[in-house]
Amino acid sequence: MPIKKILVTGGCGTIGTRLCEKLLEKGYDVTGADIQACKWNKKVDALTKRIDLLDKDQVEKLPRDSDLVIHLAANARVYDLVVDPERALDNVTMLFNTLEFCRKNGVKRFMFASSRETYGNSGQAVHTEQDAKIDFCESPYSASKICGEAFVRSYKQCYGVDFIITRFSNVYGM
């Protein structure tokens, strides 16, 4: 089944905005979901639903006919989550609510934005997927991403939701 309709959570963030722009250029039907407005692109902002992914009732307002969900939404500043670890729990809850949305609505394709933080400070320059280990968990942020990867994998096992996990590193932008 071809992918036509894509839902991007965190669609107004640095990565989300650029991704939405590129998907639109390629002709995909894109809907963003974000708690904030898009300050970089008015077209992306117009395609974005103001949704708090921590609120299950709001999550139910997302488009049910999506072919793919790309989950970028997260509290992403490592230091901020060390200072306020409850924000790491928010990351897990937003992911869980989004996965549940997919399960309940038959969305079978999911991409999850994880982090190189899952590798910890191993001293290695190059990593394989297997290098991410709970023993290297150094912050509440990295714990939220390790937990997230486990949740995504469990939804494949239990509910048949196919997935891709990406581990971003040193993301920056304006």
Side-chain angles (χ1 to χ4, degrees):
M1 179 169 148
I3 295 172
K4 295 178 182 173
K5 294 185 174 200
I6 301 175
L7 170 63
V8 180
T9 69
C12 292
T14 304
I15 297 170
T17 300
R18 300 303 171 253
L19 177 61
C20 288
E21 290 169 348
K22 291 297 179 185
L23 291 171
L24 289 167
E25 282 176 21
K26 300 269 185 197
Y28 290 100
D29 181 355
V30 177
T31 301
D34 209 306
I35 198 166
Q36 63 186 9
C38 183
K39 59 186 176 183
W40 295 295
N41 185 308
K42 290 180 182 181
K43 185 174 183 179
V44 171
D45 190 55
L47 297 170
T48 300
K49 295 181 177 293
R50 295 292 164 266
I51 298 287
D52 182 351
L53 295 175
L54 295 172
D55 183 331
K56 288 180 185 180
D57 292 333
Q58 287 188 35
V59 171
E60 290 304 314
K61 296 175 184 174
L62 294 172
R64 290 181 162 87
D65 61 346
S66 299
D67 300 313
L68 166 66
V69 172
I70 302 174
H71 185 71
L72 301 174
N75 295 310
R77 304 222 187 288
V78 177
Y79 179 76
D80 292 349
L81 278 68
V82 170
V83 172
D84 184 4
E86 192 167 319
R87 297 183 78 198
L89 182 59
D90 289 349
N91 285 351
V92 175
T93 302
M94 287 187 287
L95 171 63
F96 176 79
N97 288 345
T98 305
L99 284 168
E100 273 295 278
F101 170 82
C102 290
R103 181 183 70 84
K104 291 176 182 176
N105 294 289
V107 179
K108 295 294 187 184
R109 294 183 179 121
F110 194 86
M111 291 180 70
F112 175 58
S114 187
S115 170
R116 66 99 24 232
E117 292 291 320
T118 60
Y119 302 125
N121 289 319
S122 66
Q124 293 176 238
V126 177
H127 293 279
T128 67
E129 288 182 42
Q130 294 73 26
D131 290 337
K133 294 185 177 75
I134 196 168
D135 294 343
F136 299 142
C137 189
E138 297 180 323
S139 70
Y141 174 77
S142 61
S144 76
K145 292 303 182 175
I146 289 170
C147 178
E149 289 190 22
F151 261 119
V152 169
R153 290 175 188 280
S154 75
Y155 272 67
K156 168 64 175 170
Q157 287 294 116
C158 294
Y159 311 112
V161 177
D162 290 327
F163 68 88
I164 294 174
I165 295 172
T166 57
R167 293 184 181 141
F168 294 111
S169 177
N170 297 326
V171 174
Y172 64 95
M174 301 170 53

